[in-house]
Amino acid sequence: MNYLEKYNFWLENEHFDEKAKEELRALAGNEEEIKDRFYKDLQFGTGGLRGKIGMGTNRMNIYTVSKATQGLADYLIGKAREQEDSQQYLNRGVVIAYDCRHKSHEFSETTALVLNANDIKTYLFEDVRPTPELSFAVRHLQAIAGIVVTASHNPPEYNGYKVYGPDGGQIIPDIADKIIYHINKIKDYSLIKKLDHPAAVQKGLFNIVGPEIDEVYLQKINELAIRNDDQIDKSIKIVYTPLHGAGNIPIRKILKERGFTNVFVVEEQIQPDPDFSTVESPNPEYPAAFELAIKLGSQVGAEILIATDPDADRIGLAVKNPICPPPLSFPRKRESSTSVIARNDNDAAIPAHHNQYTVLNGNQVGILLLHYILISKKELNQLPSNGFIVKTVVTSDMSRVIADSFNVDTYETLTGFKFICNMVKTVQEKEGKEFLFGYEESIGYLTGDFVRDKDAVISAMLIAEMAAYYLKNGFNLLQVLEDLYKKYGYYEEVQHSIYLEGAEGEKKIAEIMEVFRKKLPEVKGMEIVRIEDYEIGESYDLKSKKTSSLTLPRSNVLKIIFSDGSWYVLRPSGTEPKIKLYLSFHAPTKKEVQQKVHLVKSTILQKINSII
């Protein structure tokens, strides 16, 4: 059926309720909107669904959610048949969590009742919870799967549905393909099973979980503390904003339990709000999300500001600019001075205005956390001889350089925390190494072995501890970062997104990737030495003219490496209608690295603009 036939089918079929049909009738005559809603089925990607909320095959609604869930149920039933006791396997259940977005509770309950109709037990959280707590709960309850209803940091009109395996990690492509196979077999919505709520409860299939999971989860996070109370300044002033999301209660609790008494919360952003009415975007990657936090931080004199996204798996950090940033020498005593001090690289330091803040990017926060974890464990004789970290192909190479300096191995994966955590699991099981830290540039971080996803609650505790440790020793996180650049070289990473919506946008994104694969733009003074194309799984060396295989899974990612080791990457987003450009460059001085970034970025964007 074409999009108009699908539209009329939804209007005429008795399976769709009157409320759904009323919404669709209101679209009469708006062919562009009808086309966008019905030109394809909402794609179940490597992790699940994500899209705008509304009626239609290309939207998040109870029908598309039910269809995906029935496909998942059919997959799980197939897995059960491989077990000695299939019903006992299904009774292990599926854990379901959700955030504060529009329809999240409705989609979650619908999901549970579809699974219940297939004789699969469910554990639904009583209220909004962070996504990483869902990951923890799957393993803690020994469930066979997990589902979280969230669209992470997307705009308010979006929602999503992510599936987790029994290991607590997001499903990887080979499992997703099997689920997609079952979803695609469902041609008739009326064949989707669904139990009513009272019957599901009576059968013992529909279960609510609450504080009992929270308590164990927070206790496990507490155990990740590295420094003891004597080594940190717990009077540090911290401003926190949950940006109307799920992080409010657990993050405030964990900071309180760690003894941080000066935690100030942005009141306007405490309550869950599916419209995220105080921010343009609930994404703490963007400095604009810190506007109210900066205002409060300036009032109370906070040293750091932290912000979490709606499902509390990502965390952003802003740091108070020191009045006078002196050169660092680890460790040193606290100094108070207001004069301008010259840097070692002969660039004059710029005096910062009191109570102003710098919002760090995801790579910078990752570098700080990585170095803090490694240097602390080394100092405390806790650094294992077989430790390893995991980063993605678009994450700063500075992390590898730092890890090497501590004799810690670095493993690299495709973009996405499902790949990071799958790599962690693989290395632990096959090589017996000890996982220390994993992160990606899009403000996602993880340490510990009880969660298999990025975790803003763990990260908030460690960021607070890290900042408090350095404060105790008399310096600021911006000074620490500058000192790391002086030691390891200046690295600068930039990410740029180009939004191209609808069917035409999809075509343009595909065209951009095709054009770059055929002929790359030349950059004056920059020599390309290697091209890594993850879609075909090959790396091509331009000097030797030799091709080698890439070991990571196939993905529509193109990475271009220059002779100095700098690189850029192009990849279509898997969750939003956009193509993303990542740039990572390094040089001996900040000025040099910024010049490189500007030159390459402008050249690439000029090429992209000529295509679109």
Side-chain angles (χ1 to χ4, degrees), residues 276-572:
F276 310 112
S277 51
T278 63
V279 286
E280 184 177 341
S281 170
N283 185 354
E285 273 188 284
Y286 302 144
F290 280 87
E291 183 180 352
L292 292 179
I294 288 173
K295 181 180 177 183
L296 178 58
S298 298
Q299 291 170 359
V300 301
E303 277 83 16
I304 62 169
L305 321 173
I306 55 176
T308 53
D309 69 344
D311 66 324
D313 59 354
R314 299 171 190 252
I315 187 167
L317 171 65
V319 180
K320 183 180 179 181
N321 294 327
I323 295 175
C324 170
L328 292 181
S329 177
F330 292 119
R332 67 174 180 80
K333 299 295 182 184
R334 189 181 310 207
E335 297 171 5
S336 59
S337 172
T338 55
S339 62
V340 177
I341 297 176
R343 292 291 191 188
N344 293 333
D345 59 9
N346 298 320
D347 293 329
I350 301 172
H353 296 292
H354 187 56
N355 281 343
Q356 296 299 308
Y357 294 85
T358 296
V359 179
L360 302 183
N361 65 40
N363 279 303
Q364 291 169 325
V365 176
I367 291 303
L368 285 168
L369 280 171
L370 171 63
H371 185 264
Y372 174 71
I373 290 169
L374 298 185
I375 201 170
S376 297
K377 285 185 177 290
K378 183 176 181 180
E379 178 190 322
L380 299 169
N381 294 316
Q382 297 173 2
L383 188 65
S385 59
N386 62 346
F388 73 99
I389 69 165
V390 184
K391 65 182 281 293
T392 75
V393 295
V394 297
T395 300
S396 175
D397 287 329
M398 187 174 177
S399 53
R400 183 189 296 275
V401 175
I402 291 174
D404 285 347
S405 72
F406 286 88
N407 294 315
V408 168
D409 293 335
T410 300
Y411 290 80
E412 200 165 75
T413 74
L414 291 175
T415 306
F417 239 84
K418 56 182 169 287
F419 294 115
I420 289 177
C421 290
N422 187 62
M423 179 67 78
V424 171
K425 177 185 172 186
T426 300
V427 174
Q428 286 178 327
E429 291 178 354
K430 293 186 177 180
E431 302 182 44
K433 294 184 178 181
E434 187 171 332
F435 172 61
L436 294 170
F437 187 61
Y439 86 103
E440 59 184 358
E441 83 301 328
S442 53
I443 61 173
Y445 316 96
L446 178 67
T447 189
D449 63 357
F450 54 89
V451 170
R452 295 286 196 204
D453 205 349
K454 51 189 175 289
D455 192 326
V457 189
I458 291 174
S459 302
M461 187 274 286
L462 279 178
I463 286 170
E465 180 190 299
M466 172 177 68
Y469 167 73
Y470 287 125
L471 182 64
K472 177 91 170 180
N473 286 277
F475 45 93
N476 168 289
L477 289 178
L478 293 177
Q479 297 166 335
V480 177
L481 186 63
E482 180 68 14
D483 201 58
L484 293 177
Y485 285 143
K486 290 181 183 302
K487 181 175 181 179
Y488 295 106
Y490 280 87
Y491 284 74
E492 179 126 344
E493 290 81 26
V494 173
Q495 186 187 132
H496 185 87
S497 295
I498 300 169
Y499 285 82
L500 296 163
E501 295 190 322
E504 290 305 310
E506 275 191 26
K507 289 180 183 177
K508 285 294 180 187
I509 289 171
E511 186 181 349
I512 291 167
M513 295 301 293
E514 182 182 359
V515 168
F516 271 78
R517 282 189 166 101
K518 286 181 177 177
K519 185 173 175 56
L520 296 168
E522 293 183 7
V523 183
K524 186 178 180 181
M526 299 288 291
E527 180 190 7
I528 297 172
V529 295
R530 193 165 77 254
I531 301 168
E532 295 178 352
D533 191 339
Y534 289 86
E535 188 168 66
I536 60 174
E538 290 182 354
S539 174
Y540 179 66
D541 189 305
L542 275 72
K543 288 189 174 181
S544 67
K545 309 295 183 185
K546 290 182 178 179
T547 299
S548 57
S549 297
L550 296 169
T551 58
L552 298 180
R554 302 293 174 88
S555 182
N556 192 8
V557 176
L558 189 64
K559 186 171 187 176
I560 313 304
I561 299 101
F562 296 100
S563 57
D564 67 348
S566 299
W567 49 261
Y568 71 88
V569 169
L570 278 171
R571 63 175 282 266

